[in-house]
Amino acid sequence: MAKGLADNVRRLADIKRRLAQMRFADFLDYITPTYDRQWFHTIIANKCQALIEGTLGTNRLMVFVPPQHGKALPIDTPVFTTKGWKNHGDLNDGDYVFGADGKPKAVIANSGAYEWNVQTMSFQCGYSIECAKEHLWKLSVEYDDHKGRREVVQEAGEIYKRKHRRSPAIECAPALQTEERQLPIDPYILGVWLGDGLKGQGVFVEGEDIEYWSQFGETRRVKPTYYRIKVDGLYKALRESGILRYKHIPIDYLLSSVEQRTALLCGIMDTDGTVGRDNGNCEFCQKEGQLAEDVYTLIRSLGYKARRNTYDMKLNGRIVGKKVRILFNPDKDAEIFRLPRKKVRLIDKTKGDRGDKNKFFITSYGSKPRTTMVNCIQVEGGMYLAGRDLIPTHNSQIVSRSFPAWYLGKNPKAKIVGCSYSAELAQQFSRAIQRTIDSEEYSAAFPKTYLNSPNVSTDARKGYLRNIDIFETVGYGGFYKAVGVGGSLTGTPVDLGIIDDPVKDAMEANSQTYRDRVWAWYTDVFLTRLHNESKQIFIMTRWHEDDLAGRLLKQEPDKWTVVKFPALKEDDTNPEDPRQIGEALWEARHSRERLLEVEARSPRTFASLYQQRPVIIGGNIVKREWFQLMPLAEFNRIHNGEPIIFFIDTAY
């Protein structure tokens, strides 16, 4: 029976692999099993495939869809990056956050801030985070259907629409993977000083285990059971590092290697931590403040699920402040202590464990909604850690990262150029495509298409090129080149040119100078690299009626196939759109009610971003045709020297 089940699993995997080879839409499901493909995603994927197969009717395709709004966190949500803490709203391409696998992940795009309703998601261990109900989470769930736990990607608002046998859970991320750093103070010694050091001196004090502590410096007995240990050079290093008299963990230490962070934690726990004699639970207590926050981040960065509680500090029955108590449960072989007396108290807690200690169990989602400024980000790999508790969360998918990989699998000789408003964003797309091609799933589907080793990145003498700007398919000479709008394409023949958002935001779109610059680059650079059989794909948000897409559709409308799915259907001009007029594109995620709220707040923004129609039906509130251009002398002649008066509706 087990053999038959295994054979069925293999057959199913083979079917999925064969479908991925044949159809781009199935490739999306194959390469990203959690991809939630909808009917309009399938239509767009089929149009892309028809373009390269020559059955589209034209060799130029424009895709206009509304932004995937709602998958949002408040802009002030803290996110741990490779440079320290940043607010969610301040993240941009060029920043690196940490993924659910603990590895740094590039931020590809930021939606910009907008108003949205958020509610609170609470966890069994005391964590909580605010998010929009449409925000995606990768969950381990066990429904009342007795089929065991399974992984799903769900919106926050959908989590409790089915009954669960046990609470849905999010997997705790492993230790953050960072490189070793040159640090001014040995991490263990710094941890010891942070735990039991004198704030203004390079000295720490101990009352027992002096045989162990005396190895670290000059030891002086002050009282029968009280010793001071002076560490050579510590005072100067503390002063130069800005830690003296202000106990905290510098960001370089929080971003150091796993081994260095482990040593730092050992020093803190050996001096100021405890371990339960019976249960092996580890505990750190500290007055509320920066050091307590830093130690909590340190513990979470090492992959331990910690619990943090705050209590009143009392002196002679009077409340004098707050103390923070942090608890966590490492296994017996974890390096939490070096001090032998404490180390032996750790016990083996893996026996009978179902992995629950590595899960964040969700207890509820929902509270009184509050409206605040939020934003969405796109991160390579699809998952990143959010909030002070480093909770793994999901982000949106970008089709332009998958189609070049699939096309190169079908045709390893293809020459592709991917363009975006900045070289950095185009390079992030390139990295994502390379990771897809490097994956085992891709190799199984397209064994002939592969890239050179990442270690042979830019030296063409050693093989085929591979770097963030260009990579080549080994043995075929096909390539993918990333370039920002305005960048050079000299000497690059193009079979497929993809332009994904040539305009960054409304400010650029409303600039006549910038629109002219994009047009000049398209006509003078991009078009000169095309040949008779070249294909073009535009994936754009329509910010302005005179943007690149607007100019092309005005000059050569018959040469382009346009796929447009507005957030709310307005007419029956698209026979492939099965919706009724007024129906939302994806009601389950972006309801009609919510879209109408967005429209009421900003009609012009809604018309352009969500309806992909940068002119409000019936004209904009201030109509362009009301105004004429005339020479100042002519104006003065007509008005006979009357003063010039402007009326401006600043509220709108």
Side-chain angles (χ1 to χ4, degrees), residues 99-220:
D101 58 0
K103 297 178 181 178
K105 306 293 181 182
V107 176
I108 296 172
N110 185 328
S111 68
Y114 56 94
E115 280 191 339
W116 207 257
N117 284 341
V118 297
Q119 298 180 65
T120 300
M121 179 178 287
S122 300
F123 297 84
Q124 192 178 64
C125 49
Y127 301 170
S128 66
I129 191 169
E130 284 190 316
C131 63
K133 70 176 185 179
E134 298 86 358
H135 192 73
L136 295 176
W137 300 91
K138 186 176 181 180
L139 306 172
S140 171
V141 299
E142 186 175 354
Y143 296 122
D144 282 345
D145 54 11
H146 301 280
K147 293 183 178 180
R149 280 201 173 269
R150 69 204 78 170
E151 281 193 350
V152 300
V153 176
Q154 284 187 334
E155 293 184 356
E158 299 290 320
I159 294 175
Y160 283 100
K161 288 194 173 180
R162 291 183 63 179
K163 291 184 178 180
H164 300 82
R165 287 173 58 81
R166 299 181 68 213
S167 296
I170 298 173
E171 291 289 338
C172 178
L176 304 187
Q177 300 301 306
T178 47
E179 295 182 354
E180 183 175 341
R181 297 196 174 205
Q182 291 292 325
L183 301 173
I185 305 169
D186 177 88
Y188 183 75
I189 294 298
L190 176 61
V192 168
W193 181 82
L194 289 172
D196 274 349
L198 298 180
K199 190 161 55 172
Q201 302 179 41
V203 170
F204 65 93
V205 296
E206 287 299 330
E208 55 182 324
D209 305 300
I210 193 59
E211 288 135 353
Y212 174 81
W213 294 116
S214 61
Q215 64 180 302
F216 297 105
E218 179 186 334
T219 303
R220 181 167 64 92

